[in-house]
Amino acid sequence: MEKAINATDGASGTTKANVPIMETRGLVKRFGSFIANDGLNLTIRKGEIHAILGENGAGKSTLMNMLSGLLAPDEGEIYYNGSQVSFTSPRSAMEIGIGMVHQHFMLVPALTVAENVVLGIKQRSPWFRLSAACAEIERLSASFGLDVDPRKRVADLSVGQQQRVEIMKTLYRGADFIIMDEPTAVLTPPEVQDLFRVLRALREQGKTIVFISHKLQEVKAICDRVTVLRLGKHIASMPMEGTSPSELARLMVGRDIQPPAVRQPPGDGAKLLETANLSAWHGGIQVIRDVTFDLREGEILGIAGVDGNGQRELCEALMGLGTKHAGSITVRGRSIEQPSPIAMIASGVGYIPEDRHREGLMLPMSIGENLIAKQYRQSPFSRYRMLSRRAIRDAAMRAVQAFDIRTPAVDHPAGKLSGGNQQKVVLARELMLRPDILLAMQPTRGMDVGAAEYVHRRLLEERERGCGILLISTELEEILALSDRVAVMYKGRMLDIIDRRHADAEQIGLRMAGL
Amino acid sequence: KETAGGASDNGAGESGFKVALLTPGPVNDSGWNAIAYNGLMKIKDELGAKTQYSEKVTQSDMNEFIRGYATDGYNVIIGHGFEFADPMMAVAKDFPDTWFLVTSASVSQSPNVASISINNREQGYLMGTVAALMSETGTVAAIGGTEIPPITNSVKGFEEGAKAAVPDIEVLTTMTGSNDDIAKAKETAISLIEKGADVVMTNANQAGSGGIEAAKQKGMLAIGSNQDQNPNAPDTVVTSVIQDYPKAMSVVVKSIMDGAMKPEAQTLGVKEGAVYLAPYHGFDAKMAQEVKDKIAATVKALEDGTLTMKNE
Amino acid sequence: MVNKEASAKAVAWTVEALFFALTIALALLAGALIMAAAGVSPWQAYQLIWQGAAGSAGSIKETLVKATPLLFTGLSYSFAYRCGLFNIGAEGQLYLGAMTGAMAALLLPPLPMLVHLPLALLCGFIGGALWGGIVGALKVGRGASEIINTIMLNYAAIYLISYVVTSPLKEAGGSLPQSAALPASAILPQLFGSRLHYGFFLAIATAIVLYWLLNRTTWGYEIRSAGLNRRAAEVMGFPVKRNMLLVMMVSGGLAGLGGYVEIAGIQHRLMQNFSPGFGYDGIAVALLGGAHPIGNIGSALLFGGMRSGANAMQRVTGASTSLVYVIQAIMIMMMLCNRYWLGGYKKALVARLTRGLRKTGAAGANARLNLTE
Amino acid sequence: MGEEMWISYAAAAIRLSVPLLLAALGILFMSRSGILNIGMEGMMLIGSLAGVLGAFYSGSVWMGLATAAIVCSLFGLLFGFLVITTGADQVIIGTAMNLLGLGLTTVFGRSLLGMGTEAVQVSGFPVVRIPLLVDLPWIGPVLFEQNAITYGAFLLIPLAGFLLYRTPWGLQVRSVGENPLAADTLGVKVHRVRYACCSIGGMLAGFAGSALSLGILNQFTENMAAGRGFIALSAVIFGRWTPSGTLVGSLLFGGADALQMRFQSLGIEIPYQFMLMFPYLLTMLALAWFSGKSRQPAATGIPYKSAANRNA
Ligand SMILES: Nc1ncnc2c1ncn2[C@@H]1O[C@H](COP(=O)(O)OP(=O)(O)OP(=O)(O)O)[C@@H](O)[C@H]1O
Ligand SMILES: Nc1ncnc2c1ncn2[C@@H]1O[C@H](COP(=O)(O)OP(=O)(O)OP(=O)(O)O)[C@@H](O)[C@H]1O
Ligand SMILES: [Mg+2]
Ligand SMILES: [Mg+2]
């Protein structure tokens, strides 16, 4: 383990002022006997965009939760604007101007955007003027290009739109110190550019931003200074200038990151999955329009697109998860009349759902019990309809080893793993099935570079094995890195599918925006 | 006022004779269970026995209670209601020196199980007679709570009595299905009043007062059941037909004390003085002499046996 | 190190036991205040409750008798709960089971006990399953709340029984609202000349079977998964809807079985209102037992003991049995406070007491944490 | 249906709905803040007794109402303490509350009101005729000749709607019921909001209990809520957690019950038990017919530990 570089090293970088706005001294946070933050000394200067980097579970969110009043530190002090502060609640942090955009949305789905935004704000009148709030939100929304409709119910918004509502909440409250925990994880390149525009504008106005991301290019592009955490410890703080993404990656992970290996273009494999004029409706609204594509053995078909353009519904239609559909679905030349999860799993289709908490895992169950969810009827996991605990534990043990799942114990509940490790459990489950076809939605969402690299490697291995993968991601880089062919989804349609070799990032970016 | 602690051992015990009572419901229900409680008090006061009671005894607990009292050396154990019959007979075999009395049933088992029941049909008959004679609209109503023999018999007798007194009378009968739900009894009575009934009889234990309340509110008349209910609503309750379980109980316990008791089932009615009319109170002045005479004639007929009926 | 872990465990145990004792003591104290306010001597009352619940062989048997239907209804609630369903309808299902069981007992031609009794028990199960199944079907087919429907069917069942015992099943020639006595071939035999009957052992066996079913079988796994995350279970292709229906049926069936066991073991004939709220008490039994079949055995015994203790107290002091409802309620509340509220303090206390032990054990903990490296 | 019958029917339906409606509104407030209250039955009983005690000792029915409201909001806070601060399972605390309510009212009802066989009577809510409106044909006598608490109950519907949907506090309540963590991060005091809802829920339980004991019979009897707490819960679920829906749910049940009573007195040859089932079965049918989309507030039943000490 390297020795920590002094947090307050000299170089001022691009920041205008050198005044610290936020300092921590010896901050410690324990969860039971586990130390999530181990004596962190950190300085954040006024008016800078400060990146916090670290592997999954390095303690970034924990630290930020303490800075924003959501968690109370076990030891150590926090100084804000030179005076020591201790927060009793997020409200007390907010009152002095600290706002946070959380990694996992803090929204009330049943309420409208405007209601979410004004929630908790002290009102002068005993009842609201929602229309005034709506106007203000529209104004902010227009000026920062956030494009949120204040009257919509949050439950009806896509994940990307919800993220924007989260940003809106902090902006609306006029915070000076804004913490963003992986805000770009669900945004498309143009949206990221928009967000960066917003961030720069905020910086111009003298606001300080703490920016957490696993995407080193982004960090490089927008941040002034960077802090790296590993295993709850402070590793380094330095100005952005003069560092390279690969150096940061090494600091974070403690080793070098390899880009995906060059690989053979797929042969002319058999058609595994075909759809013709697939359409689907959700609550009377058409969400997929005439989608026609095929997926061949040993290829990865990447589907790019801004979140909320029908990708999820496409997967759900393919898996037979509830949406009413028209058109045909064919698996290995066999037409599937009534798709259902059971039928699709039986035909060898694996599915990595977008939302692992809602659809991917039974959080209170152990890793093992989650792993066998699609194979529990088979030997060795069950015999004569009785589960074999030993086989389940063995499977968990193997998966923990093979997928490098960081867990205190093999029979730990999945809900107590970090998000990235939870994702690995889902991945392990699907790959254990040796699927012929894999529908992978956002498979690396929220994962650090090291873990994401690992997932990518595994997906490519599956491809080598002959598995056809439908890779749906809002991260264009990921799509371009892995796919053999690329398509874009926009407003429920699948725009023309092109070969990766002819694909061009800029052009696809434009298509994603509907141009 | 008494507290919930009903251990009424204070003024008793010289005789060393101990009587226990088990009731299916709360003893302050101004109805079925209250009657038994009054009977127990009468036994305590008049016969000087040491008394104890357990209320709201559920069917799964009966056996346990009966056995418990028998083990504790009680001389007489009274189960107030037919539902006590089975467990009484089961336990009685093990305690030949204890007397087991069941009310509202017709069971007996040698040497120590006897039962007493009141002729509720006669009770209902009298109530029906009074109601029909007091009615101006030609419609009277009887409301029952749950379907248990004392209630169903009185409702049946009510219909017969009313028809006998005024042949073209219309009798409306309804069951509320609950002896707890006053609100339901009251609303049911209101609905019957609105269908034209002007005299209402409600026999539903504690919920029964709901019927009287309805009549009072609507300015109609009511017939009380089981005990004198006139004091609660002096301008509404014409009279009440009383089933004198207290008297029956004390008579039987007395005969046990005297060693004269036989294991048999007895039914007591008007003739035995266990069913009779409460005073008319304020209505004495308001009722036509002719009506009073007719009622008296019916009572007479039941007393001398020219008119007989049996519980079902 | 093993030694240290063992002593750390002992510390944790001691703290747990101390708090438990403290909880019970506080609950009893609160109960005593209420008793005193109601004019009953708490000391005498508690003595009697203890004697009635566990003071003699006879009272222990009585406790077991009382625990039997509670265990069935508790299991009924637990089973549905584990599938994410709230079955507030054990009361009605219990009645239905008693009714169908009694029908099988009374209406079938004479049969030997070995055939008749199991058949009647099965019919009891089926009756409850039917009542639960209606709710399950409405839930699966129409998305109708099982909470409302089970509550509604409780009332419907009570009226149905009232009808049955006054008309079709009424004892021939009798005038009372009750069925004829069940034939001996359909009655659960009693043991040791007491009221303790084989139903108690049936209940215990049922709990064990249910534990095994839930934790060791694939069906149990499907049920638990659906209970923890219904959407995920659907996505993973579990037959969630079918299971919800089946679980409601089994849950109802368990209560129904309890109903017939109660009348075949204790009442020996069908009457209305024979249940003093076993179905509702079952909810508390289930949840106090952590919705775990084996935990339910403990909580059913606790409740059974309270009930029979209450009866003994009532008989001697004449105090209302309602006092025991109050004590029961206070006890439930206190125990939950202990479990949920003080949980953090207990942990902190244990951590403090074992800090010395931990320091040297830390290396071991870290080793486990880094299992993968 | 003739005018007379309609009026009597509709008025009865409304009277029967009022206690349900009040209790349901109490449950609604608690539900919207994420607290499932199946202990309403017990709270209502406490309210009934407290109302009678208050009225009995003060001589004023309004003091009775106030007593019930205060006592019940204290019990609401106790419920709140147990499920909010303690984080105990809400269903089991609800069950315990029912036990506690039944036990306490029985024990203290007797020791305070005495257990004489005649129930203590107090004066009830006055019937208020609203001038002019009461003369409207058909609806006048139905809607504008009710007792005071009925008007109160109906006025509470728009008030509840306003509170929940038009005020910042209502927004907090709704958000706390859906996603308390999110609300917490925005500075909403989750526990405070839930405590407020619990005490409002308790207060409304007190109103509901007094509507039974002071609005219908002016006396307390044991277990007089007779399952209305559970029916009220159904009304809330049926009404999809909105005030107006809750009103519909309560009226549906009250209306069906009133109808059932009228069916019975028509003398149709169906066993009365099946008529008694009618309101319950109708509720089920209506639910099956309209259901589908209804979804309870997402955080219902899940205790919330404030973010800061979640890991304590
Ligand atoms: N409430 C908690 N209880 C127990 N452990 C926790 C809790 N919160 C976080 N942890 C653990 O603390 C460690 C740090 O978590 P944290 O969320 O801060 O990581 P992170 O750096 O934000 O990771 P990521 O990049 O995945 O967001 C993880 O190992 C996590 O499992
Ligand atoms: N009740 C709990 N007990 C222990 N740990 C918990 C609990 N609830 C949440 N956690 C932990 O809280 C942490 C924060 O959740 P989150 O999903 O943000 O994790 P993360 O580490 O940021 O995920 P990822 O690594 O994928 O970015 C997780 O590490 C999770 O394990
Ligand atoms: Mg994080
Ligand atoms: Mg993360």
Side-chain angles (χ1 to χ4, degrees):
Chain A
M1 192 165 288
E2 291 103 317
K3 193 176 176 312
I5 301 168
N6 186 358
T8 50
D9 68 329
S12 75
T14 52
T15 43
K16 281 175 222 99
N18 214 345
V19 194
I21 183 166
M22 171 79 82
E23 280 181 90
T24 69
R25 302 236 177 98
L27 221 48
V28 173
K29 182 71 200 175
R30 294 185 205 93
F31 294 116
S33 58
F34 176 74
I35 303 173
N37 277 186
D38 194 357
L40 294 181
N41 295 312
L42 193 75
T43 306
I44 292 161
R45 295 171 191 169
K46 201 174 178 69
E48 70 176 357
I49 300 183
H50 192 115
I52 308 276
L53 294 180
E55 280 182 287
N56 291 132
K60 305 179 295 294
S61 300
T62 306
L63 172 62
M64 294 310 137
N65 286 340
M66 288 192 288
L67 297 188
S68 64
L70 200 56
L71 286 177
D74 293 326
E75 284 169 34
E77 297 116 47
I78 301 172
Y79 294 86
Y80 184 73
N81 272 335
S83 49
Q84 189 179 349
V85 288
S86 74
F87 306 124
T88 51
S89 72
R91 176 189 283 230
S92 58
M94 217 151 46
E95 271 161 7
I96 62 169
I98 299 174
M100 177 155 175
V101 174
H102 288 270
Q103 179 181 6
H104 288 180
F105 306 140
M106 297 287 182
L107 294 170
V108 184
L111 303 184
T112 65
V113 171
E115 286 177 328
N116 267 284
V117 171
V118 302
L119 176 62
I121 294 182
K122 285 216 177 76
Q123 308 266 322
R124 250 161 295 144
S125 63
W127 54 87
F128 350 97
R129 313 227 181 81
L130 259 187
S131 52
C134 285
E136 171 69 5
I137 291 167
E138 268 159 0
R139 192 186 63 73
L140 277 172
S141 165
S143 78
F144 293 113
L146 279 171
D147 183 28
V148 290
D149 179 350
R151 285 172 189 85
K152 273 202 165 154
R153 254 166 43 108
V154 168
D156 300 332
L157 300 182
S158 70
V159 181
Q161 289 166 320
Q162 291 183 8
Q163 178 68 271
R164 279 172 249 155
V165 177
E166 282 282 16
I167 296 172
M168 175 62 70
K169 285 198 314 197
T170 13
L171 293 179
Y172 189 88
R173 284 170 169 70
D176 282 330
F177 186 93
I178 302 175
I179 299 168
M180 294 193 171
D181 197 352
E182 302 190 31
T184 59
V186 288
L187 302 185
T188 56
E191 286 174 316
V192 170
Q193 292 312 317
D194 277 342
L195 176 67
F196 286 181
R197 201 170 40 67
V198 175
L199 297 186
R200 289 194 190 100
L202 291 170
R203 180 170 58 188
E204 290 313 311
Q205 292 171 27
K207 305 205 172 186
T208 311
I209 293 160
V210 175
F211 186 89
I212 299 179
S213 174
H214 291 300
K215 298 177 192 172
L216 301 178
Q217 299 294 350
E218 283 176 1
V219 170
K220 180 83 185 138
I222 185 82
C223 298
D224 304 315
R225 281 173 15 100
V226 57
T227 291
V228 178
L229 304 182
R230 194 194 313 153
L231 293 174
K233 292 206 170 63
H234 182 243
I235 299 299
S237 284
M238 60 193 125
M240 205 66 222
E241 257 169 36
T243 60
S244 70
S246 58
E247 186 191 342
L248 290 175
R250 189 156 35 72
L251 275 176
M252 269 167 64
V253 188
R255 63 186 161 89
D256 283 317
I257 298 292
Q258 312 287 332
V262 197
R263 57 192 191 275
Q264 296 297 314
D268 216 9
K271 280 187 184 173
L272 291 175
L273 174 68
E274 284 172 273
T275 65
N277 295 323
L278 190 66
S279 296
W281 289 264
H282 189 77
I285 300 162
Q286 189 165 10
V287 285
I288 312 181
R289 295 166 190 275
D290 299 328
V291 170
T292 304
F293 71 90
D294 57 31
L295 179 67
R296 288 166 184 278
E297 224 167 58
E299 77 160 353
I300 297 181
L301 173 59
I303 298 184
V306 179
D307 198 22
N309 273 292
Q311 296 98 320
R312 186 172 75 212
E313 288 81 0
L314 175 62
C315 281
E316 287 183 353
L318 288 173
M319 291 304 290
L321 281 168
T323 40
K324 188 169 161 286
H325 85 280
S328 74
I329 299 173
T330 313
V331 175
R332 287 185 174 283
R334 209 162 48 80
S335 167
I336 305 269
E337 293 306 326
Q338 194 55 56
S340 71
I342 300 179
M344 297 310 279
I345 292 166
S347 338
V349 180
Y351 177 40
I352 299 176
E354 171 189 45
D355 186 338
R356 53 186 170 246
H357 283 183
R358 203 171 87 87
E359 305 192 321
L361 296 165
M362 277 76 69
L363 293 176
M365 279 191 171
S366 71
I367 296 174
E369 287 190 300
N370 272 291
L371 276 175
I372 61 157
K374 289 188 173 173
Q375 281 172 300
Y376 66 96
R377 289 168 195 271
Q378 297 155 19
S379 168
F381 302 121
S382 71
R383 209 168 292 156
Y384 309 115
R385 300 188 166 248
M386 278 162 58
L387 295 173
S388 156
R389 292 188 173 193
R390 160 124 29 105
I392 294 172
R393 202 184 145 87
D394 287 348
M397 206 93 97
R398 276 197 305 277
V400 164
Q401 296 286 350
F403 288 80
D404 188 21
I405 299 170
R406 310 280 169 94
T407 173
V410 279
D411 43 13
H412 213 56
K416 292 200 174 172
L417 301 176
S418 83
N421 285 309
Q422 289 172 359
Q423 186 71 7
K424 288 182 194 166
V425 175
V426 176
L427 191 75
R429 177 179 70 218
E430 298 305 322
L431 297 189
M432 229 166 73
L433 285 169
R434 315 222 119 223
D436 295 338
I437 302 165
L438 182 63
L439 308 182
M441 262 204 101
Q442 309 273 24
T444 58
R445 185 165 155 194
M447 293 181 111
D448 66 50
V449 276
E453 178 214 15
Y454 178 77
V455 171
H456 291 164
R457 211 170 67 224
R458 292 301 300 241
L459 290 179
L460 289 173
E461 276 171 31
E462 291 304 302
R463 170 182 175 277
E464 290 307 313
R465 190 172 58 78
C467 175
I469 300 176
L470 191 67
L471 173 68
I472 298 178
S473 174
T474 51
E475 284 177 44
L476 192 48
E477 271 176 55
E478 185 171 68
I479 297 274
L480 291 176
L482 299 178
S483 309
D484 299 305
R485 288 186 296 154
V486 182
V488 173
M489 277 199 86
Y490 181 71
K491 298 222 159 141
R493 289 185 195 284
M494 193 179 280
L495 307 179
D496 42 13
I497 304 172
I498 47 176
D499 198 286
R500 164 71 184 93
R501 280 163 296 185
H502 314 307
D504 161 49
E506 202 146 318
Q507 196 193 356
I508 293 179
L510 289 177
R511 277 172 195 278
M512 284 165 65
L515 298 168
Chain B
K1 299 252 162 101
E2 295 220 17
T3 61
S8 30
D9 43 0
N10 22 7
E14 305 94 48
S15 64
F17 195 82
K18 297 200 287 182
V19 180
L21 168 73
L22 309 175
T23 65
V27 295
N28 61 345
D29 67 351
S30 349
W32 177 248
N33 301 293
I35 288 175
Y37 179 74
N38 292 343
L40 191 71
M41 292 302 107
K42 201 174 161 85
I43 290 167
K44 180 176 119 187
D45 296 340
E46 293 179 2
L47 307 178
K50 176 177 153 72
T51 60
Q52 181 63 289
Y53 69 91
S54 292
E55 57 179 337
K56 292 196 271 190
V57 177
T58 60
Q59 283 164 23
S60 58
D61 292 341
M62 287 171 181
N63 192 304
E64 186 189 350
F65 272 105
I66 298 166
R67 188 172 292 278
Y69 278 123
T71 313
D72 291 351
Y74 280 78
N75 304 71
V76 182
I77 298 165
I78 306 171
H80 190 51
F82 68 91
E83 56 272 54
F84 287 93
D86 283 350
M88 283 277 192
M89 293 199 287
V91 177
K93 292 178 190 137
D94 301 340
F95 298 90
D97 298 333
T98 306
W99 269 96
F100 297 85
L101 273 185
V102 191
T103 60
S104 171
S106 47
V107 295
S108 59
Q109 177 178 290
S110 195
N112 58 349
V113 181
S115 60
I116 38 174
S117 57
I118 296 283
N119 194 330
N120 294 99
R121 195 97 170 260
E122 290 183 352
Q123 182 200 14
Y125 195 92
L126 278 178
M127 294 194 283
T129 308
V130 179
L133 292 172
M134 293 302 290
S135 173
E136 285 167 14
T137 60
T139 307
V140 294
I143 300 164
T146 54
E147 189 155 349
I148 53 174
I151 292 178
T152 48
N153 279 315
S154 72
V155 170
K156 186 152 219 112
F158 183 93
E159 235 175 315
E160 293 162 349
K163 289 256 156 69
V166 180
D168 60 350
I169 194 100
E170 191 179 346
V171 182
L172 307 172
T173 62
T174 306
M175 303 293 283
T176 67
S178 165
N179 287 348
D180 288 333
D181 198 337
I182 303 193
K184 203 160 200 164
K186 182 174 174 187
E187 281 299 340
T188 305
I190 289 179
S191 80
L192 295 173
I193 289 170
E194 278 162 355
K195 286 205 67 183
D198 62 347
V199 186
V200 182
M201 184 282 287
T202 318
N203 191 352
N205 289 6
Q206 52 180 346
S209 43
I212 295 177
E213 178 69 17
K216 181 168 153 191
Q217 194 176 316
K218 290 277 170 184
M220 299 296 166
L221 301 178
I223 311 290
S225 54
N226 304 344
Q227 41 177 277
D228 190 355
Q229 291 181 301
N230 181 283
N232 285 343
D235 297 327
T236 306
V237 177
V238 180
T239 183
S240 310
V241 182
I242 290 165
Q243 48 171 343
D244 203 344
Y245 267 110
K247 182 168 169 200
M249 281 162 63
S250 72
V251 167
V252 170
V253 171
K254 178 90 180 33
S255 77
I256 292 173
M257 287 171 113
D258 298 345
M261 187 66 186
K262 289 194 202 73
E264 61 189 13
Q266 320 176 20
T267 302
L268 311 166
V270 176
K271 200 199 289 182
E272 293 80 8
V275 173
Y276 53 89
L277 285 174
Y280 295 125
H281 298 283
F283 277 88
D284 205 15
K286 294 186 222 164
M287 285 164 77
Q289 191 55 43
E290 184 196 353
V291 171
K292 287 192 212 161
D293 290 345
K294 275 193 183 165
I295 296 171
T298 312
V299 173
K300 186 94 195 14
L302 287 167
E303 265 173 4
D304 59 22
T306 41
L307 185 62
T308 56
M309 58 195 68
K310 274 208 174 110
N311 277 347
E312 287 204 322
Chain C
M1 207 190 110
V2 175
N3 254 340
K4 281 190 174 136
E5 242 173 47
S7 47
K9 231 177 215 166
V11 171
W13 256 97
T14 318
V15 169
E16 193 59 51
L18 271 175
F19 270 80
F20 188 78
L22 198 68
T23 308
I24 300 283
L26 274 177
L28 293 181
L29 187 68
L33 290 179
I34 302 235
M35 285 185 188
V40 179
S41 147
W43 178 241
Q44 188 198 9
Y46 280 133
Q47 260 184 336
L48 289 165
I49 290 181
W50 173 252
Q51 272 167 19
S56 68
S59 51
I60 289 175
K61 281 182 212 152
E62 199 53 47
T63 294
L64 301 186
V65 167
K66 294 247 172 327
T68 305
L70 292 175
L71 182 49
F72 276 112
T73 53
L75 290 173
S76 162
Y77 186 85
S78 300
F79 193 64
Y81 184 81
R82 294 297 286 271
C83 189
L85 295 165
F86 295 90
N87 178 11
I88 314 287
E91 185 80 0
Q93 292 146 8
L94 182 100
Y95 275 114
L96 248 284
M99 183 186 95
T100 48
M103 283 167 134
L106 293 168
L107 304 180
L108 288 176
L111 289 168
M113 184 173 189
L114 272 178
V115 182
H116 202 177
L117 182 60
L119 210 58
L121 287 169
L122 180 70
C123 283
F125 184 89
I126 291 173
L130 185 85
W131 223 229
I134 295 175
V135 177
L138 285 171
K139 172 91 181 172
V140 170
R142 303 284 322 164
S145 155
E146 77 277 16
I147 300 186
I148 299 192
N149 283 336
T150 45
I151 293 174
M152 296 297 143
L153 283 183
N154 283 345
Y155 294 98
I158 287 167
Y159 293 129
L160 188 60
I161 296 294
S162 158
Y163 166 68
V164 167
V165 296
T166 50
S167 291
L169 271 193
K170 186 159 149 185
E171 187 170 17
S175 63
L176 306 174
Q178 61 184 22
S179 75
L182 304 183
S185 58
I187 278 180
L188 282 163
Q190 296 177 330
L191 286 98
F192 321 123
S194 73
R195 296 211 302 153
L196 183 59
H197 53 88
Y198 279 100
F200 174 72
F201 303 101
L202 185 62
I204 298 281
T206 309
I208 293 168
V209 168
L210 225 52
Y211 169 78
W212 173 82
L213 188 74
L214 274 174
N215 290 288
R216 300 294 176 85
T217 68
T218 54
W219 193 48
Y221 172 72
E222 286 172 9
I223 291 170
R224 283 183 294 131
S225 301
L228 294 173
N229 189 343
R230 184 173 302 165
R231 174 73 188 170
E234 274 165 6
V235 170
M236 285 183 278
F238 294 5
V240 174
K241 291 200 158 170
R242 191 194 72 189
N243 280 345
M244 273 163 49
L245 176 61
L246 286 177
V247 165
M248 270 318 285
M249 291 178 72
V250 171
S251 170
L254 289 168
L257 185 59
Y260 184 67
V261 164
E262 177 68 7
I263 69 161
I266 299 294
Q267 328 269 12
H268 297 175
R269 63 168 93 227
L270 182 65
M271 300 189 197
Q272 42 186 350
N273 301 331
F274 75 83
S275 157
F278 290 134
Y280 296 106
D281 285 354
I283 300 172
V285 167
L287 294 171
L288 214 55
H292 187 290
I294 306 301
N296 273 348
I297 297 180
S299 54
L301 287 176
L302 178 72
F303 269 68
M306 297 277 291
R307 278 286 144 90
S308 67
N311 289 345
M313 173 200 81
Q314 205 281 335
R315 214 178 57 232
V316 179
T317 64
S320 160
T321 27
S322 303
L323 260 182
V324 174
Y325 293 160
V326 178
I327 296 169
Q328 232 169 35
I330 293 175
M331 201 164 264
I332 293 175
M333 290 173 175
M334 293 273 185
M335 279 167 77
L336 290 188
C337 275
N338 177 37
R339 187 189 302 169
Y340 292 91
W341 189 34
L342 301 178
Y345 298 102
K346 276 188 283 189
K347 251 188 221 159
L349 186 62
V350 172
R352 194 127 141 231
L353 294 175
T354 52
R355 184 158 294 167
L357 299 165
R358 276 279 148 77
K359 258 179 201 144
T360 35
N366 274 346
R368 256 195 300 147
L369 200 73
N370 296 339
L371 180 107
T372 59
E373 287 183 355
Chain D
M1 221 193 272
E3 183 172 342
E4 290 261 311
M5 278 207 37
W6 146 255
I7 289 171
S8 95
Y9 166 70
I14 288 181
R15 283 192 302 268
L16 284 167
S17 316
V18 166
L20 288 179
L21 179 58
L22 287 166
L25 279 178
I27 292 175
L28 176 73
F29 271 99
M30 294 175 73
S31 261
R32 285 312 285 256
S33 75
I35 291 169
L36 177 67
N37 180 8
I38 71 165
M40 185 45 96
E41 179 84 5
M43 288 195 189
M44 273 175 88
L45 279 173
I46 294 173
S48 311
L49 177 63
V52 169
L53 287 176
F56 178 64
Y57 287 113
S58 72
S60 143
V61 64
W62 300 111
M63 286 306 293
L65 185 68
T67 315
I70 292 168
V71 170
C72 282
S73 36
L74 290 179
F75 275 91
L77 289 175
L78 171 69
F79 189 97
F81 170 77
L82 291 166
V83 301
I84 299 169
T85 304
T86 302
D89 189 291
Q90 297 175 0
V91 175
I92 184 169
I93 291 297
T95 320
M97 198 52 131
N98 286 335
L99 273 178
L100 189 69
L102 183 60
L104 282 182
T105 52
T106 308
V107 172
F108 288 102
R110 287 177 183 199
S111 63
L112 295 175
L113 290 175
M115 61 171 290
T117 40
E118 274 155 44
V120 170
Q121 293 239 353
V122 293
S123 59
F125 291 108
V127 171
V128 181
R129 291 169 57 97
I130 303 205
L132 299 180
L133 289 176
V134 76
D135 299 326
L136 291 173
W138 297 86
I139 56 167
V142 173
L143 293 178
F144 301 109
E145 196 179 352
Q146 296 278 6
N147 68 21
I149 199 159
T150 306
Y151 298 117
F154 281 85
L155 288 178
L156 278 175
I157 298 287
L159 182 63
F162 178 81
L163 266 179
L164 279 176
Y165 296 106
R166 291 277 175 276
T167 65
W169 182 77
L171 177 60
Q172 295 191 356
V173 171
R174 286 180 291 141
S175 66
V176 159
E178 292 285 344
N179 188 346
L181 180 60
D184 194 1
T185 60
L186 294 175
V188 174
K189 301 226 161 50
V190 176
H191 284 190
R192 189 185 290 181
V193 171
R194 288 193 167 170
Y195 269 112
C197 285
C198 281
S199 89
I200 291 178
M203 189 181 77
L204 286 164
F207 289 163
S210 339
L212 269 183
S213 65
L214 298 176
I216 293 186
L217 204 79
N218 316 338
Q219 72 179 38
F220 172 79
T221 57
E222 284 162 25
N223 199 18
M224 73 185 303
R228 286 185 178 80
F230 288 109
I231 306 289
L233 177 63
S234 305
V236 174
I237 300 177
F238 180 84
R240 297 184 187 177
W241 293 272
T242 63
S244 50
T246 300
L247 172 65
V248 175
S250 312
L251 282 176
L252 175 81
F253 193 89
D257 210 11
L259 199 59
Q260 169 276 120
M261 292 168 187
R262 280 155 183 80
F263 278 165
Q264 271 204 55
S265 56
L266 291 179
I268 304 171
E269 287 296 305
I270 299 175
Y272 73 92
Q273 288 95 342
F274 290 95
M275 300 200 191
L276 286 169
M277 282 181 210
F278 172 71
Y280 304 98
L281 298 182
L282 182 76
T283 305
M284 288 178 69
L285 270 182
L287 188 72
W289 191 264
F290 295 115
S291 71
K293 299 290 168 292
S294 76
R295 194 186 60 82
Q296 66 180 354
T300 301
I302 306 164
Y304 179 73
K305 289 199 180 172
S306 80
N309 59 25
R310 203 144 14 121
N311 303 299

